[in-house]
Amino acid sequence: MEYNFKAIEEKWRKFWADNQTYKVTNDPSKPKFYVLDMFPYPSGAGLHVGHPLGYIASDVYSRYKKLQGFNVLHPMGYDSFGLPAEQYAIQTGQHPEKTTKENIARYREQLDKIGFSFDWSREVRTSSPEYYKWTQWIFNQLFDSWYNNNTDKAEAIADLVAIFEKEGNANVNAVTDQETIFSAEEWKAFDDHQKEDVLQNYRLTYLADSWVNWCPALGTVLANDEVINGLSERGGHPVEQKLMRQWSMRIKAYAERLLTGLDGLEWTESIKDIQRNWIGKSKGASVKFALKDAAEQIEVFTTRPDTIFGVNFLVLAPEHPLVDDITTPEYKDAVAEYKRLASLKSERDRQSDVKNITGQITGAKAIHPFTGAEIDIWIADYVLASYGTGAVMAVPCGDQRDWDFANHFGLEIINIFQDKDVSEAAYTEKDAIIANSDFLSGLEAKAAIEKAIEAIEAKGIGKGKTNYRLRDAVFSRQRYWGEPFPVYFVNGIPKTIATEHLPIVLPEVEKYLPTEDGQPPLGNAAVWAWDTVNNKVVSNDLIDEKTVFPLELNTMPGWAGSSWYFLRYTDPTNAEAFASKEAVDYWKNVDLYLGGAEHATGHLLYARFWTKFLFDRGFVPFEEPFQKMINQGMILGRSSFVYRNADGKYVSKGKLQGGEQPIHVDISMVENDKLDIEAFKAWRSEYANAAFILEDDGTYICGHEVEKMSKSKYNVQTPDELVEKFGADTLRCYEMFLGPIEQAKPWDTKGINGVSNFLRKLWRLFNMDENGNAQLSTEAPSKESLKTLHKTIKKINDDIERYSFNTCVSTFMICVNELSDQKCNNKEILEQLTILISPYAPHIAEELWVKLGNEAGTVTFAKLPAFNEEYLIEDAIAYPVSFNGKMRFKIELAATLTPKEVEEAVLNAPESEKYLEGKAPKKVIVVPGKIVNIVL
RNA sequence: GCGGAUGUGGUGAAAUUGGUAGACACGCUAGACUUAGGAUCUAGUACCGUGAGGUGUGCGGGUUCGAGUCCCUCCAUCCGCACCA
């Protein structure tokens, strides 16, 4: 009987669904293993072959873990809040929820065809109120927390208030924007507004007027990582800077822990580096410079306090708040003009215009704290308002940008380095001896930095300081399709809504656009006020500012829901908590996480931040959400082209003369670069009468190029077509066979026949009669076949543990080829092989499993065949590798040989006579699987 | 510029700790069988050479009995960051 993948796959798909084969329960008697894929945003385009790549790998791995006896959590869900559904709603008026549901249904249909072992009873959707109830709850926890630097963790804001009431804030060591000190008496005298203003400076989520990336075209604020080269990540619209009142997350509080936590993670160095770079830690000192004619001081941050004697001017960012105050009358106009020009420049221009040095002197003078010299204060746009203090002390001899600036404006370059030439460029290495620097002279940088900081602190003009590039994350979006904030305003004071009244469900609106007076879309909602007596959302008409108050109009950004979804899978329907303590304690964090590397500074950073926060507050027992991560490479499309020449004829690739125009053609009409000419003619009316210049054999060969998959390039390969044509098991094996999982690669179906043949060959091993009954031998398996099997078991075990999914497929092919050559139809061997192969090809495995006389649907939970090296021992052939005082032999697959056995193998090795010179070895040193040293 | 990664046949790629480079598969060539198919089977297929043999893992060096693997210089490609004081 032929291998009928269609019937087999349909049968098992139904069986698994009907029997809930993959439902997982929290079973404390088994060790847990948590395998997670980054959940997808359900876009309207559906899945293409790139999406399942990671899902297949994670599915293969989870199935192996199941075979190894682990209780495996392998869930799937949808990150279902997002822009495209909202944009579609704006255009069509269709509710984003409807679009989202339709898209999810389509995704599910596609996913179901591939035979994943997801436990769909645990599905989560970030846009469902049952889910975002707990997103809102986490927001409330952040609102009610502050970061205590003394204990180095987040603590309850109530504890902070208690401290204020007892002793004010003088002794509080917190991550805060609070600058003024108050006593307990002063705190008690504050009114509600003043108190909240203070608390806002401590809360881990807070309202602030902040410079934000405002995208007029999208009508929203974007996070830094959603802006690429001054354009929005989505849509590529221009982004400008705007001052807005926004919710922010005090992620800065976690900068150091986010940095050190990376060390324990099994992530690629490149992702870790990207996060390290993003956090951007630099050690140095802050130094205050007094002004000659004003009381204010200018604070700068420097990583090189040792070069302070090289300072001969200061530079402020044009946006620095003191600029206008300190500028002398004669420079007022020039400074105003420079500021105007700087503000006109977009962030992008400022970045691309690195070479062009500009600046303006302000006329103000600062006093050098150690030499007492008067130094000029400039403004220049190479100094960024958003980093450090927005001001730098310029050391032209030690910093290339300062050198360039000084050189351009003809300023003095003081050399404070012994025997270093700074006439052509700054000397930026830290290995020079400091000179001309009073008490620092003669020291090396490291010692000088310490001594300089001591002196600065002794003088009371600054202190040693660590600076982070990481900025607090803006958390508001002026959009409809996102989580509403559980916040209402009493006379402008934000109040959160208690857990028992959550979720605050998105209100209905007529239009999904911002309101006419520029409010976010929720400003269109008629029923969007909070009744504090009845604790429910009521009509805006009832707002009286006594018991009924307006609700927050912003919604949360896309990363809110995805920052904690991995926790929800452990207990997805819990209405009393984000997940029960038992569930979280049992499943803990994700053991293996699969997804794209593009989330390095977004999702992966925020999820770590929230997890650390929940850890601090005692809600989860771990600090890092994703222990091991694999970043699957992007699958690129392989576009096909036809070429039209000046005469309007379509020229085959081998007949090109040059100058022909390439035109994308749908890849479904092209097979191995050969164009289906009839299909092409039928594709569009304009091609119906197309004339061709063909190859000599009468075929049309298309050109090709590797590009991102996109509808407009006609190069999208959906998994559905391939499942239809070759079956899900073939698709699964082929996607794994394609190459290393982490590598980006163009999609190409050229090799899929080979994988398809392999599964057919596997089927044929079972020697089925016309009724589909396997004709198998129950005699003792041959030595040969046992060897083949155990070689395979060993290789698969090793390869799976190092996530080498592609080599496993090759190993299976070799195994099947060998068994086929051996004409092996031994039941025992084939049963073990079936188990081994089931993670890759679950449908055919279940079918064969039943044919072997086992219960339906149980291969998933079978016991992984144990490797027995005994079957390989006869393979332990030693051969001499070299001779150098000691003789070395390579012993193949000799993992557990005793020295005696090795000795025997060595004596029997080809050519051993030549090396041993008739002597038996004195001593044999065995390192399993390695070269063996023989002492003669 | 800085940081990270990669570089192996016509193609996708193997080679886990330094130990027979190119497994496995695609493609191609020749053949067998045939109910003509995108089936199955056999042989061949890194390069040069008729051959013996020689050369080969981006280039050039080094360490080693032995290097695709380790070290140094350079080149190319990809990704990330980019006035970060």
Side-chain angles (χ1 to χ4, degrees):
Chain A
M1 201 178 80
E2 274 292 289
Y3 166 45
N4 181 350
F5 61 81
K6 224 174 242 181
I8 292 169
E9 289 178 2
E10 245 164 61
K11 173 178 158 191
W12 289 108
R13 202 150 59 220
K14 186 163 184 309
F15 182 93
W16 293 332
D18 291 350
N19 292 278
Q20 299 198 46
T21 304
Y22 300 124
K23 197 170 159 63
V24 180
T25 51
N26 305 358
D27 177 358
S29 72
K30 280 197 206 166
K32 71 96 187 185
F33 202 90
Y34 190 173
V35 182
L36 184 65
D37 296 284
M38 288 185 187
F39 62 168
Y41 172 77
S43 86
L47 291 172
H48 62 66
V49 287
H51 291 105
L53 181 73
Y55 307 158
I56 293 169
S58 67
D59 198 56
V60 165
Y61 197 80
S62 352
R63 284 171 181 272
Y64 270 108
K65 281 286 161 188
K66 273 184 192 159
L67 294 177
Q68 284 175 0
F70 285 90
N71 193 24
V72 179
L73 179 58
H74 184 222
M76 182 47 80
Y78 304 97
D79 188 12
S80 47
F81 274 131
L83 273 175
E86 177 155 343
Q87 225 110 51
Y88 191 70
I90 291 167
Q91 285 159 21
T92 63
Q94 190 172 125
H95 198 290
E97 194 176 346
K98 187 163 178 281
T99 319
T100 303
K101 277 200 169 134
E102 287 166 6
N103 291 347
I104 287 177
R106 167 98 179 103
Y107 265 57
R108 178 63 189 277
E109 194 189 317
Q110 288 184 293
L111 288 171
D112 277 347
K113 284 183 186 163
I114 307 175
F116 293 117
S117 61
F118 296 132
D119 176 359
W120 282 109
S121 72
R122 291 175 183 260
E123 181 198 296
V124 303
R125 300 179 184 190
T126 55
S127 64
S128 87
E130 297 76 40
Y131 179 88
Y132 67 67
K133 170 176 178 174
W134 298 105
T135 312
Q136 292 173 338
W137 175 83
I138 293 172
F139 174 87
N140 283 353
Q141 303 310 309
L142 286 155
F143 186 85
D144 287 335
S145 302
W146 62 291
Y147 200 90
N148 186 343
N149 278 331
N150 287 338
T151 55
D152 208 14
K153 62 177 201 171
E155 295 178 1
I157 206 95
D159 298 345
L160 183 67
V161 171
I163 296 170
F164 289 169
E165 282 172 353
K166 208 173 131 211
E167 54 173 60
N169 72 342
N171 297 319
V172 172
N173 181 9
V175 176
T176 179
D177 294 319
Q178 180 71 23
E179 280 165 357
T180 57
I181 303 292
F182 52 81
S183 66
E185 287 64 40
E186 283 170 309
W187 169 258
K188 286 173 192 155
F190 288 158
D191 64 21
D192 287 353
H193 260 112
Q194 290 170 311
K195 280 184 176 163
E196 182 58 33
D197 282 349
V198 169
L199 289 176
Q200 285 283 322
N201 287 330
Y202 290 89
R203 296 186 190 278
L204 289 184
T205 182
Y206 60 97
L207 277 169
D209 287 322
S210 45
W211 287 102
V212 295
N213 303 302
W214 171 252
C215 179
L218 294 173
T220 193
V221 161
L222 301 172
N224 285 328
D225 46 292
E226 292 171 312
V227 182
I228 293 163
N229 292 332
L231 299 174
S232 63
E233 186 184 21
R234 246 173 222 282
H237 305 291
V239 173
E240 54 190 51
Q241 299 299 302
K242 193 177 168 182
L243 203 57
M244 285 181 80
R245 197 156 176 78
Q246 296 284 316
W247 285 102
S248 280
M249 287 281 162
R250 213 177 290 284
I251 190 172
K252 265 184 142 167
Y254 285 87
E256 185 62 30
R257 284 166 65 189
L258 288 169
L259 197 62
T260 52
L262 288 170
D263 295 337
L265 298 179
E266 298 157 68
W267 294 10
T268 61
E269 271 315 301
S270 90
I271 295 252
K272 287 189 189 179
D273 270 345
I274 290 170
Q275 290 210 349
R276 286 189 190 112
N277 195 305
W278 192 258
I279 295 166
K281 180 179 182 173
S282 49
K283 280 188 192 166
S286 69
V287 186
K288 286 182 185 140
F289 282 76
L291 293 174
K292 185 186 167 206
D293 300 315
E296 289 104 334
Q297 293 179 312
I298 290 180
E299 186 176 357
V300 302
F301 174 74
T302 177
T303 54
R304 296 293 303 274
D306 55 318
T307 62
I308 194 156
F309 285 92
V311 174
N312 61 333
F313 56 101
L314 300 183
V315 188
L316 310 188
E319 301 87 355
H320 194 283
L322 287 178
V323 170
D324 290 336
D325 297 343
I326 62 169
T327 301
T328 56
E330 58 172 319
Y331 291 107
K332 274 263 163 357
D333 291 345
V335 165
E337 176 63 7
Y338 186 82
K339 283 180 69 173
R340 193 182 66 82
L341 288 172
S343 71
L344 283 180
K345 274 199 212 169
S346 71
E347 190 87 353
R348 192 160 55 135
D349 294 340
R350 253 165 100 159
Q351 274 174 24
S352 55
D353 203 11
V354 176
K355 297 268 142 39
N356 208 352
I357 296 163
T358 63
Q360 174 60 47
I361 198 161
T362 62
K365 304 262 186 200
I367 306 295
H368 192 290
F370 292 108
T371 66
E374 290 181 12
I375 55 181
D376 286 324
I377 301 175
W378 291 70
I379 58 173
D381 63 9
Y382 83 87
V383 178
L384 306 174
S386 54
Y387 183 76
T389 60
V392 302
M393 57 178 222
V395 185
C397 66
D399 182 287
Q400 192 56 45
R401 288 155 307 166
D402 295 342
W403 191 94
D404 291 340
F405 190 84
N407 187 48
H408 182 262
F409 288 103
L411 308 175
E412 188 191 355
I413 295 170
I414 307 168
N415 190 355
I416 53 150
F417 299 120
Q418 197 175 303
D419 304 329
K420 301 290 175 193
D421 178 19
V422 295
S423 61
E424 293 302 321
Y427 188 79
T428 56
E429 303 297 318
K430 275 190 181 176
D431 56 4
I433 305 290
I434 306 291
N436 305 324
S437 297
D438 193 358
F439 55 92
L440 297 176
S441 294
L443 295 173
E444 280 182 26
K446 203 177 167 215
I449 287 171
E450 268 174 43
K451 195 151 187 194
I453 291 174
E454 271 171 36
I456 288 161
E457 287 178 351
K459 250 183 158 344
I461 54 162
K463 57 184 175 187
K465 194 179 170 185
T466 301
N467 224 7
Y468 298 92
R469 202 170 72 101
L470 183 72
R471 295 181 218 170
D472 280 352
V474 175
F475 196 66
S476 306
R477 295 290 183 274
Q478 288 65 50
R479 307 218 66 92
Y480 175 75
W481 192 229
E483 298 89 347
F485 284 85
V487 170
Y488 60 97
F489 290 91
V490 177
N491 300 315
I493 301 172
K495 304 274 184 193
T496 54
I497 295 167
T499 307
E500 58 264 37
H501 308 308
L502 299 180
I504 301 304
V505 180
L506 260 182
E508 293 299 321
V509 292
E510 273 179 35
K511 285 193 305 183
Y512 301 100
L513 282 167
T515 64
E516 276 166 22
D517 53 352
Q519 297 279 16
L522 292 188
N524 293 316
V527 182
W528 197 238
W530 185 248
D531 180 337
T532 56
V533 175
N534 299 306
N535 288 309
K536 60 175 190 174
V537 176
V538 295
S539 167
N540 298 1
D541 303 339
L542 300 173
I543 293 174
D544 58 8
E545 299 285 357
K546 291 192 185 81
T547 62
V548 179
F549 302 96
L551 280 157
E552 169 68 60
L553 299 180
N554 286 295
T555 54
M556 299 186 197
W559 54 269
S562 60
S563 293
W564 72 280
Y565 74 111
F566 52 93
L567 298 170
R568 186 65 176 171
Y569 284 129
T570 65
D571 193 8
T573 54
N574 196 326
E576 306 304 317
F578 68 92
S580 72
K581 192 174 179 320
E582 298 77 58
V584 174
D585 284 353
Y586 176 64
W587 290 112
K588 296 200 180 69
N589 55 348
V590 175
D591 295 287
L592 178 65
Y593 197 35
L594 273 107
E598 67 273 17
H599 298 103
T601 54
H603 161 63
L604 290 169
L605 200 61
Y606 298 130
R608 294 182 62 217
F609 160 41
W610 279 28
T611 305
K612 285 178 188 299
F613 166 71
L614 291 171
F615 170 80
D616 284 355
R617 298 304 314 272
F619 296 115
V620 299
F622 49 85
E623 259 201 77
E624 288 289 345
F626 316 118
Q627 183 53 38
K628 157 88 192 172
M629 180 165 60
I630 296 178
N631 307 112
Q632 89 266 23
M634 206 194 321
I635 294 209
L636 301 161
R638 190 175 186 275
S639 312
S640 285
F641 296 91
V642 295
Y643 301 92
R644 187 167 56 202
N645 68 11
D647 304 333
K649 285 187 178 166
Y650 295 88
V651 188
S652 183
K653 196 183 170 199
K655 298 286 178 183
L656 289 177
Q657 305 287 313
E660 292 88 350
Q661 186 199 354
I663 300 165
H664 278 97
V665 290
D666 200 304
I667 52 164
S668 65
M669 305 185 302
V670 182
E671 181 116 17
N672 289 342
D673 288 342
K674 271 186 207 153
L675 180 70
D676 180 338
I677 291 172
E678 291 312 311
F680 177 69
K681 284 181 172 174
W683 189 30
R684 290 203 182 139
S685 56
E686 58 188 293
Y687 301 135
N689 298 311
F692 298 90
I693 297 173
L694 301 173
E695 301 294 325
D696 297 335
D697 62 359
T699 58
Y700 188 101
I701 302 295
C702 293
H704 62 87
E705 208 169 292
V706 172
E707 301 175 290
K708 233 178 161 168
M709 272 198 198
S710 112
K711 267 182 174 173
S712 63
K713 290 170 183 145
Y714 303 105
N715 63 358
V716 176
Q717 178 87 61
T718 69
D720 313 51
E721 294 161 0
L722 292 161
V723 168
E724 180 70 21
K725 224 165 152 183
F726 297 99
D729 287 338
T730 299
L731 175 70
R732 290 169 64 102
C733 292
Y734 183 59
E735 291 225 15
M736 293 299 94
F737 182 69
L738 223 42
I741 180 86
E742 306 204 299
Q743 215 161 84
K745 49 206 159 240
W747 178 257
D748 198 328
T749 51
K750 265 200 321 207
I752 199 165
N753 283 328
V755 177
S756 178
N757 290 345
F758 147 68
L759 287 176
R760 265 199 294 270
K761 224 171 192 174
L762 170 69
W763 182 263
R764 259 185 273 129
L765 282 179
F766 283 72
N767 213 5
M768 255 141 334
D769 63 19
E770 61 276 14
N771 299 317
N773 294 318
Q775 312 290 304
L776 301 175
S777 148
T778 50
E779 284 164 31
S782 73
K783 259 194 162 176
E784 230 187 347
S785 299
L786 281 169
K787 193 174 103 184
T788 297
L789 177 69
H790 283 268
K791 207 168 67 181
T792 306
I793 294 170
K794 179 163 170 51
K795 185 96 169 71
I796 295 295
N797 285 345
D798 291 354
D799 286 355
I800 281 290
E801 287 311 329
R802 61 188 180 106
Y803 315 99
S804 179
F805 299 105
N806 55 331
T807 51
C808 285
V809 181
S810 296
T811 303
F812 286 133
M813 289 180 177
I814 294 167
C815 179
V816 168
N817 283 345
E818 284 184 14
L819 291 179
S820 175
D821 287 348
Q822 294 161 15
K823 307 220 178 337
C824 170
N825 67 338
N826 182 276
K827 195 179 164 197
E828 206 181 309
I829 301 271
L830 293 181
E831 186 162 293
Q832 308 253 298
L833 177 61
T834 302
I835 297 169
L836 206 56
I837 229 165
S838 67
Y840 275 85
H843 306 86
I844 192 174
E846 291 275 23
E847 183 72 18
L848 296 173
W849 185 244
V850 170
K851 294 207 184 289
L852 287 160
N854 297 292
E855 197 188 325
T858 60
V859 70
T860 317
F861 308 98
K863 199 162 174 294
L864 193 66
F867 170 58
N868 186 343
E869 50 272 306
E870 269 177 38
Y871 298 114
L872 302 179
I873 280 184
E874 62 171 338
D875 247 32
I877 299 164
Y879 55 91
V881 193
S882 73
F883 185 69
N884 179 29
K886 283 180 282 188
M887 165 136 42
R888 292 147 194 229
F889 287 84
K890 185 187 181 191
I891 311 289
E892 271 189 353
L893 299 166
T896 58
L897 289 187
T898 63
K900 201 172 158 57
E901 286 166 322
V902 170
E903 194 180 312
E904 229 157 83
V906 165
L907 289 169
N908 295 328
E911 294 186 83
S912 68
E913 273 304 303
K914 187 168 124 199
Y915 290 94
L916 291 172
E917 298 162 341
K919 286 180 276 185
K922 258 188 217 157
K923 197 175 166 194
V924 179
I925 304 150
V926 183
V927 184
K930 277 198 173 183
I931 301 303
V932 183
N933 291 323
I934 310 284
V935 182
L936 287 174

